[in-house]
Amino acid sequence: MKYSEKVMDHFTNPRNVGEIENADGVGVVGNAKCGDIMKMYLKIDENEVITDCKFKTFGCGAAIATSSMATELVKGHTVEEALKLTNSAVVEALDGLPAVKVHCSVLAEEAIKSAVADYYTKIGKPVDFELEDHDHDHDHVVED
Ligand code: FES
């Protein structure tokens, strides 16, 4: 299985790793099957611009690389724009992922949505978008 240079770069040198104290939105998503967990922290200003974004991922390399790229893609953008970030846009920004690893990128998209939902709840805004059910199965392929 081949990973792009960008995936390897973001995996070995992930951007925006860590926690944000007093974050405006925190999202946690996980998959019960592979045990991967992703936690996303957002700092949001009064104009709904994401001024900072950090993540922690306990999971596979593709999950780390996609969360790293996702934080870069939402930083400096509005919450509205962040909600439009799809996992395929993240995969594209990384020059692709092997097909069996595409599901890992879904975690990054969902972690951002979950953090925004947390922010909306805090400020009393209705959560008018879908949050995924994370208990779906995902196929695991043994790599050799
Ligand atoms: Fe399940 Fe990567 S998120 S193996």
Side-chain angles (χ1 to χ4, degrees), residues 128-141:
D128 53 0
F129 52 87
E130 292 268 316
L131 281 175
E132 278 284 319
D133 158 18
H134 305 296
D135 288 331
H136 61 271
D137 276 358
H138 74 215
D139 292 335
H140 274 253
V141 175

Side-chain angles (χ1 to χ4, degrees), residues 23-42:
D24 298 300
V26 180
V28 188
V29 292
N31 187 291
K33 297 275 184 246
C34 66
D36 286 353
I37 299 170
M38 190 177 296
K39 200 162 179 180
M40 190 70 80
Y41 301 81
L42 300 177

Side-chain angles (χ1 to χ4, degrees), residues 1 5 26 29 36 51 71 75 98 103 106 113 139:
M1 144 174 334
E5 266 173 45
V26 180
V29 292
D36 286 353
T51 53
T71 57
K75 226 187 200 180
H103 70 89
V106 177
K113 289 204 166 80
D139 292 335

Side-chain angles (χ1 to χ4, degrees), residues 63-139:
I64 292 170
T66 48
S67 0
S68 167
M69 180 53 93
T71 57
E72 294 232 296
L73 291 172
V74 300
K75 226 187 200 180
H77 291 267
T78 63
V79 168
E80 282 287 313
E81 287 166 337
L83 285 176
K84 290 190 194 121
L85 182 71
T86 60
N87 74 301
S88 35
V90 177
V91 171
E92 210 171 288
L94 286 167
D95 293 337
L97 271 179
V100 297
K101 285 290 177 186
V102 167
H103 70 89
C104 309
S105 67
V106 177
L107 274 183
E109 177 190 328
E110 289 177 358
I112 289 171
K113 289 204 166 80
S114 154
V116 171
D118 179 49
Y119 165 68
Y120 277 7
T121 307
K122 276 190 185 137
I123 63 167
K125 202 167 161 175
V127 178
D128 53 0
F129 52 87
E130 292 268 316
L131 281 175
E132 278 284 319
D133 158 18
H134 305 296
D135 288 331
H136 61 271
D137 276 358
H138 74 215
D139 292 335

